Amino acid sequence: MLGFGAERLRADMNRLLALLFHQGVLDEQYLELQQLQDESSPNFVSEVINIYFHESEKLLRNLRGLLLDREFSDYKKMGIHLNQFMGSSSSIGAKRVRNLCIAFRAASEQSNRAGCLRALELLEYEYCYLKNKLHELFQIEQQRNLAATVRYPQAQHHLNNP
Amino acid sequence: MRNSSMDGGISPFHNIRPNEWTKLSGNNVGELHYSSILGFPFLFKSGHQLSFISFELKSSSGTCFSRYVSGFLVQMSSNCKNCSSNGKLCSSIKQKKAWESFHRRADGRKWERFVVFLLLMVAVCGLFWVLTSSNRDSSEWKMETPVSNEFKDQVLPEYCNVSKKEFHALDSLFSQRDRVTSLACCRESGFEMPTSCNITRGLKIQGSQALEKWHKMVAKNVEFNAHCPTRDESITFVGLPFSKDKTVSFISQLGFLSIPSNHLFYRKNELQMKELQDHATYYCDSNSFGLAKICLWILVGVIISFNIPKLHEKFSSRKHEIIQETPCAQQTQLLQQAQSSSRSTGKWRKKMLIVFVLAGVVFSIRLFWYLSEDIILRRKETLGSMCDERARMLQDQFNVSMNHVHALALLVSTFHHGKQPSAIDQKTFEDYTERTAFERPLTSGVAYALRVRHSEREEFELQQGWAIKKMETEDQTLAQDCNLENFSASPIQEEYAPVIFSQKTVSHIVSIDMMSGKEDRENILRARASGKGVLTSPFKLLKSNHLGVVLTFAVYNTHLPPDALPEQRTNATVGYIGASYDVPSLVAKLLHQLASKQTIFVNVYDTTNKLAPIKMYGTDEIDTGLLRISNLDFGDPTRKHEMHCRFKQKPPPPWQAITASVGVLVITLLLGHIFHAAINRIAKVERGYREMMELKHRAEAADIAKSQFLATVSHEIRTPMNGVLGMLQMLMDTNLDARQQDYAQTAHASGKDLISLINKVLDQAKIESGRLELESVPFDLRAVLDKVLSLYSGKSQEQGLELAVYVSDQVPEVVIGDQERFGQIITNLVGNSIKFTQDKGHIFISVHLANEVMLPLDARDEVLKQSLTIVQVGSNASYNTLSGFRAVDRWRSWKNFKNFSGIPEETEKIKLLVTVEDTGAGIPLEAQGRIFMPFMQADSSTSRKYGGTGIGLSISKRLVELMDGEIGFVSELDIGSTFSFTVTFTKAEANYLETMRLQCDPAVPEFRGLKALVIDERRVRAEVTRYHLKRLGISVDITFSMESAYSYLSCYSKTSVLENLAMVLVDQDCWDKDICFLLHNLLKTIKQNGSKNNSGIPLKIFLLATCTSSSQRKELKLDRIVDNVIKKPLRLSALAFAFQEATGFGKTGHNTRAKPSTLRTLLRDKQILVVDDNAVNRRVAEGALKKYGAFVTCVEGGKVAVGLLKPPHKFDACFMDLQMPGMDGYEATREIRSLESEYNEKIKSGEVSVDMSENLAHWHTPILAMTADVIQATNEECIKCGMDDYVSKPFDEGQLYSAVARCHQGLPSLLPDSAMTLNGG
């Protein structure tokens, strides 16, 4: 039962990933990232993603703070933030976030405050979406891992209890 | 003639004494010199149409020559010449200018040229018109001159005739009289020849007619002389010609008497005429010059206005250039600017045109006004001159008549009163006056009235036999009807003036008392008081209906001094001579003599009383505009007369002015029209140009959009495709059954195909948008070809095709160029060939220098030699090609290349000729034309049959063109095709070659110096094998069959020829098991010998096979006949591997296993520093590198990195992010490099011991940049600041590997997988 659940979870995970790929939320870089995960670093992906979330939230906060400041004029600083955000996003393969960053940067280069604000809104939305989905993904993965580890006894248990 | 009259006239008085002569002449105005009549030159010249008239005047005081007429005529003609030459000059200058302008515009548009031509024509026409009109002017004036000349000719002889006749009459009158009387008469009448007797004149009359006339006259003269009784007695007259000697040439010397006043008159006239003519010529001159100037201005204007659009064009074209240079985004804006500017210039041009037309209209109006003014002025002057002329003539005629009357008075005084008894009676008087009437053509009659005082009346009446009668003014009956009886006797008065002598015409007034008429009385009183002729006011003449005046002279009995008092004069008066003048007939006669009398009205008025002028002659005045008043002086100061002249016609409309101004107007309008048309045309062309530019921009934008769309779409497809592929890969990793695995694999392969197609499309788009940048890196050409072969080896083996590559010895090993693109071209061509070659034949790639083809046949490469002419060899219908199947003549594929051997030997460039020959289906002739067009295949069935998109060849062509080459092909259906292309590479340095070779394949030296025997019946194939073996350093002998090889080996088995023979390679086609067995045995013996002789290299036999199943191979191997089977196509690595396998040496663990492991070997246990500010990136990089076994240290910023990398340190490499806050990647790298160089200096100088830095004498930590966007500029910047290479973020395994490998080994090792990335399907 649970073994089957593990398989199902794996399928769910794959479906979710495919969906994310289809939506363009993620790209192949995420797969690359997954490939880097092996026995030596079993939680590599989640580790990286967590770092990403941490960094990104900090950056988003900074960006929002910069933009809401009354005497705001430091587009350059915003550009640096955005570059960072973009770099980390492309590293984990968060494609839509990255694209929004590009748009945001374009708006900031033109000193278009309204555009920046709009981009920030979108970015936050997209980031939240990504975060949710990735959390979902990790949850499934954790469950799967859990299932995989406990599969054997579970199966036994299952056999024991027809 | 004159001479004769003089002779006749003077000869009656020839016994005049000098003192009497002087007295007589002293009475008159001038001096008379009879003693000095000299011969004078008589000029007789006939010229052209202008009569050349010369007057020679000799005055008594000296001689003076004047040639007024000739002078002025010459002057005038020269003026005309001047004028015409001026005109010519002007016209030539204009033409020159126009021509210049024409030339300047010659490179312009055609229609402009046409317009210029038209303008030129118009200008020239206008010029001609102006010139001809001015010439007409001057010719008109010329016409007038002959008229006046004619007039002079007429008048002169008349005068001459008059005086001649007078003399004649005188002579005949006095011929019967005694000499004294005649002498006295002569003395008195000397004034008739007033000023000088010896004023001579040469009159030239045209033609021989005149000469004849002269002849006749002379004859007459002679005759006359004979008549004259006094001829022989002439004393004082000297030098009269013809007097005796008739043989003297009558032309040479002729004496003339003439009337000086006539001369004076002529002279005056001439002067005036001359002035007039001068004036006229001046006008004509200035007129034509002015017109010429105007024309010049017009032309200058035309030229300027033509240059303006040209300038504008230049300007605008420059603008357009600027537009073209600017990027697309600004283009539209600039275009609009240009449009508006051109529009404004168009408006400006139109304004100019309007101004020009208005100026032309104003000018033509002004011209009209000016010319008509001029005409009016000229008319006025003509009238004035005519009027003055008439007045002067009338005056002169009158004066002449008056003189005659005066003479008559003297005559009467001399002969009537001076003689006792009187020599004159009524009969004589009548006779004389009758005969001399021609002298006074204007007088109707002459009468002599005697002064009779009342005291003498009785006696007088008695003596005469009639009573003095009273004049009855009331009676105005005609003279013919008049009856003396009708007159009543005169009343008693103080004195009377009864007429005693009268001319016959007025004989009715004899005995009438002149003092009884009021007018006459006044006249008589004034006349005797003044001693001069006096005139009455005009009144109706007695007994005639004409208006007339009476001229009265007093006759004195004594000679009075000129300053005598009136009382003395009155007392001395004895009688009165009266002459009545018929003014109307006088004037009419005079006018009749003149030319152009039709044109003017002449009125003569007596204006003594200014308020009531009395009309003496002429019709009622009609006002025709101009009026000219000339004063007349008839010798009586108390009376004033005037002559009024008018033109008969109203002035005609000024045609000349009208035509001129209309002409100018027409020219202006014509020019305006032309300019208007031109401006319209310019505007149209500009509009068209703008439209075209706009369309062009639109088209370009569309093209760019298309390319961008293609690129974007391709990219967008590629990204999800990667996802698909990734997922497929993941899918395949899962537990699938065989069928599922197969499906997944198929899907994966299709996806890969799709990706490769998209890559091609991207390439095409890149090439089309010109964004493809060719690399130029040194590469091994042969290795590239081997890679291509390796790609297709599987396919060719499947299809049983022979695939071979051959590179000429002359091609350098290493060249500089873009190896990937070069490989891509060849891959495309070979892929095509494989696609279309089914189950038979071969695909043969050969590379030569382009210059080799040009070499003479002997010097050529063997392969080239063979392949140039396809001939049948042997009996089994095989050809001298690689596989024996027939191929097309390959040389035909490059015969159309343009710059085949365009590169000289010396330069750094080399040109390679690559041919790919196959024995495929061939291309149908009709499809050959579109073979290089993108997405076009030979026909639509092709894609069904063979697949593919047809984009490969088009990309190849473009790539070849990018590499300065050309591509061509030749193809025959069912025989095959050969594609040839040339590419240009740069030569690499020779030493580079060696290092590359060594690094490339360490196995190579192992075979160096060995020998091989190749047994192959096909020459070309044998050459290919030789080529590959040569690359391994093995020298090759070739035999064509097993038999010959056997004999060869057996012959030389004992000699040292075979000393180094290490292997025998047998082609599959020559394989003969029996002979091979023999050979094998032989070789065995040789081997045994060789094992003694040689350095332990065993002799091996290899079979070269195209397609052998593994079972066959096994069988052969098991037989131990051959040591190994080498699968074709031959490749360096494959050969080396086979040899190594067979010989068992060289196995040094050199493997070509999968990438990750290689990367792992490269990176294992290496200390790597990752510098990135982004935590995520840092972690990812760390994870990636750790995966390959590296020890990774991560730092956040450039400063820390610099600190860590300060030598000596433990790191083997550094991955550096470029964009970091604080110190960025570039700066950090620069700093690290400077630290390293500093340290290296220290090592050199021995400050730091070498062993401390792990036997590294030179510190250079490889620093690789990590960039998110890899563009060329960034790359260059990285290299500039001292980085070794770059990898794109996120890490791509292949790229990472190659970058790291480059850093560690200097170049990437050749991996099959990287070759896969090179191909494109």
Side-chain angles (χ1 to χ4, degrees), chain B residues 1127-1314:
Chain B
K1127 268 171 79 178
K1128 283 199 248 184
L1130 296 178
R1131 281 183 292 140
L1132 189 70
S1133 52
L1135 266 180
F1137 181 71
F1139 292 157
Q1140 278 168 356
E1141 205 178 38
T1143 52
F1145 61 71
K1147 283 193 178 175
T1148 52
H1150 183 85
N1151 53 32
T1152 51
R1153 264 182 288 161
K1155 256 189 305 183
S1157 57
T1158 317
L1159 197 56
R1160 190 176 286 272
T1161 54
L1162 279 177
L1163 292 177
R1164 180 174 289 156
D1165 301 332
K1166 293 280 196 295
Q1167 289 285 348
I1168 289 174
L1169 182 68
V1170 172
V1171 189
D1172 200 329
D1173 61 314
N1174 194 321
V1176 181
N1177 287 355
R1178 219 154 50 214
R1179 187 69 190 86
V1180 171
E1182 189 190 346
L1185 291 170
K1186 264 186 179 163
K1187 199 180 168 190
Y1188 302 121
F1191 299 108
V1192 184
T1193 312
C1194 293
V1195 291
E1196 249 178 77
K1199 283 237 170 83
V1200 190
V1202 172
L1204 282 174
L1205 285 175
K1206 186 174 191 300
H1209 56 74
K1210 54 171 184 171
F1211 294 105
D1212 297 301
C1214 173
F1215 287 84
M1216 179 96 70
D1217 186 29
L1218 288 178
Q1219 288 164 332
M1220 285 183 292
M1223 189 184 276
D1224 68 0
Y1226 302 116
E1227 206 183 329
T1229 311
R1230 269 194 283 272
E1231 208 136 291
I1232 290 162
R1233 291 287 177 243
S1234 69
L1235 283 174
E1236 279 175 349
S1237 61
E1238 211 172 280
Y1239 193 76
N1240 287 338
E1241 284 296 312
K1242 278 181 188 171
I1243 290 171
K1244 260 188 194 169
S1245 56
E1247 278 177 45
V1248 185
S1249 60
V1250 175
D1251 53 284
M1252 216 181 128
S1253 51
E1254 299 164 12
N1255 69 25
L1256 264 173
H1258 188 84
W1259 275 93
H1260 183 93
T1261 316
I1263 297 176
L1264 290 100
M1266 293 191 293
T1267 59
D1269 46 349
V1270 188
I1271 43 174
Q1272 198 66 28
T1274 320
N1275 185 16
E1276 278 164 16
E1277 182 117 4
C1278 291
I1279 304 299
K1280 218 195 275 173
C1281 71
M1283 290 181 174
D1284 296 86
D1285 212 328
Y1286 65 90
V1287 291
S1288 64
K1289 241 179 355 184
F1291 285 146
D1292 174 66
E1293 212 171 274
Q1295 205 198 359
L1296 184 62
Y1297 165 73
S1298 55
V1300 171
R1302 264 201 293 271
C1303 288
H1304 277 256
Q1305 298 192 353
L1307 83 163
S1309 66
L1310 301 159
L1311 291 168
D1313 273 23
S1314 60

Side-chain angles (χ1 to χ4, degrees), chain B residues 794-815:
Chain B
K795 260 191 183 171
S796 67
Q797 278 161 15
E798 275 168 34
Q799 295 184 359
L801 297 174
E802 280 212 44
L803 180 63
V805 67
Y806 175 81
V807 181
S808 163
D809 291 340
Q810 297 191 33
V811 177
E813 301 240 348
V814 179
V815 289

Side-chain angles (χ1 to χ4, degrees), chain A residues 10 14 21 28-29 31-36 38 44 47-48 51-52 55 83-84 87-88 90-92 95, chain B residues 716 719 722-723 726-727 730 734 1173-1177 1179-1180 1182-1184 1187 1219 1221 1289-1291 1293:
Chain A
R10 190 189 159 97
N14 279 346
F21 269 87
E28 62 264 41
Q29 185 56 37
L31 297 179
E32 298 272 334
L33 209 64
Q34 279 191 333
Q35 276 173 16
L36 292 178
D38 53 12
F44 178 72
E47 193 189 329
V48 169
I51 297 170
Y52 172 72
E55 289 281 316
N83 263 341
Q84 282 205 4
S88 54
S90 61
S91 273
I92 64 147
K95 191 179 163 191
Chain B
E716 291 305 307
T719 321
N722 280 333
M727 294 322 283
M730 282 165 74
T734 57
D1173 61 314
N1174 194 321
V1176 181
N1177 287 355
R1179 187 69 190 86
V1180 171
E1182 189 190 346
K1187 199 180 168 190
Q1219 288 164 332
K1289 241 179 355 184
F1291 285 146
E1293 212 171 274

Side-chain angles (χ1 to χ4, degrees), chain B residues 1013-1191:
Chain B
L1013 180 67
V1014 173
I1015 305 166
D1016 196 338
E1017 59 180 355
R1018 299 201 198 289
R1019 189 66 202 266
V1020 176
R1021 196 161 52 190
E1023 285 296 328
V1024 170
T1025 315
R1026 191 221 285 268
Y1027 151 72
H1028 284 292
L1029 291 173
K1030 238 183 171 175
R1031 288 173 69 193
L1032 286 170
I1034 302 168
S1035 55
V1036 177
D1037 284 323
I1038 295 171
T1039 56
F1040 294 104
S1041 65
M1042 294 291 273
E1043 290 88 351
S1044 61
Y1046 180 73
S1047 56
Y1048 170 80
L1049 285 174
S1050 54
C1051 269
Y1052 294 103
S1053 59
K1054 302 281 187 246
T1055 62
S1056 60
V1057 177
L1058 300 172
E1059 200 176 320
N1060 277 335
L1061 187 69
M1063 53 195 82
V1064 176
L1065 292 106
V1066 187
D1067 194 83
Q1068 200 181 10
D1069 291 350
C1070 302
W1071 184 250
D1072 187 335
K1073 217 172 178 180
D1074 301 332
I1075 300 174
C1076 191
F1077 195 71
L1078 287 173
L1079 190 70
H1080 187 253
N1081 287 339
L1082 176 70
L1083 288 178
K1084 255 183 187 167
T1085 57
I1086 294 171
K1087 249 186 223 173
Q1088 281 155 5
N1089 294 338
S1091 62
K1092 288 170 198 165
N1093 298 337
N1094 265 339
S1095 50
I1097 301 168
L1099 186 60
K1100 303 275 181 187
I1101 298 179
F1102 297 94
L1103 181 67
L1104 300 172
T1106 312
C1107 46
T1108 43
S1109 62
S1110 50
S1111 58
Q1112 259 181 312
R1113 241 183 297 170
K1114 266 179 192 159
E1115 189 191 326
L1116 286 168
K1117 262 193 174 175
L1118 283 174
D1119 284 349
R1120 284 234 162 255
I1121 295 170
V1122 295
D1123 296 279
N1124 208 345
V1125 178
I1126 300 170
K1127 268 171 79 178
K1128 283 199 248 184
L1130 296 178
R1131 281 183 292 140
L1132 189 70
S1133 52
L1135 266 180
F1137 181 71
F1139 292 157
Q1140 278 168 356
E1141 205 178 38
T1143 52
F1145 61 71
K1147 283 193 178 175
T1148 52
H1150 183 85
N1151 53 32
T1152 51
R1153 264 182 288 161
K1155 256 189 305 183
S1157 57
T1158 317
L1159 197 56
R1160 190 176 286 272
T1161 54
L1162 279 177
L1163 292 177
R1164 180 174 289 156
D1165 301 332
K1166 293 280 196 295
Q1167 289 285 348
I1168 289 174
L1169 182 68
V1170 172
V1171 189
D1172 200 329
D1173 61 314
N1174 194 321
V1176 181
N1177 287 355
R1178 219 154 50 214
R1179 187 69 190 86
V1180 171
E1182 189 190 346
L1185 291 170
K1186 264 186 179 163
K1187 199 180 168 190
Y1188 302 121
F1191 299 108

Side-chain angles (χ1 to χ4, degrees), chain B residues 228 247 1060:
Chain B
C228 181
T247 60
N1060 277 335

Side-chain angles (χ1 to χ4, degrees), chain B residues 886-904:
Chain B
R886 200 183 153 195
V888 289
D889 291 330
R890 66 166 70 180
W891 58 269
R892 275 172 31 216
S893 61
W894 66 69
K895 71 177 173 187
N896 285 332
F897 288 0
K898 283 181 193 81
N899 40 3
F900 198 59
S901 57
I903 293 166

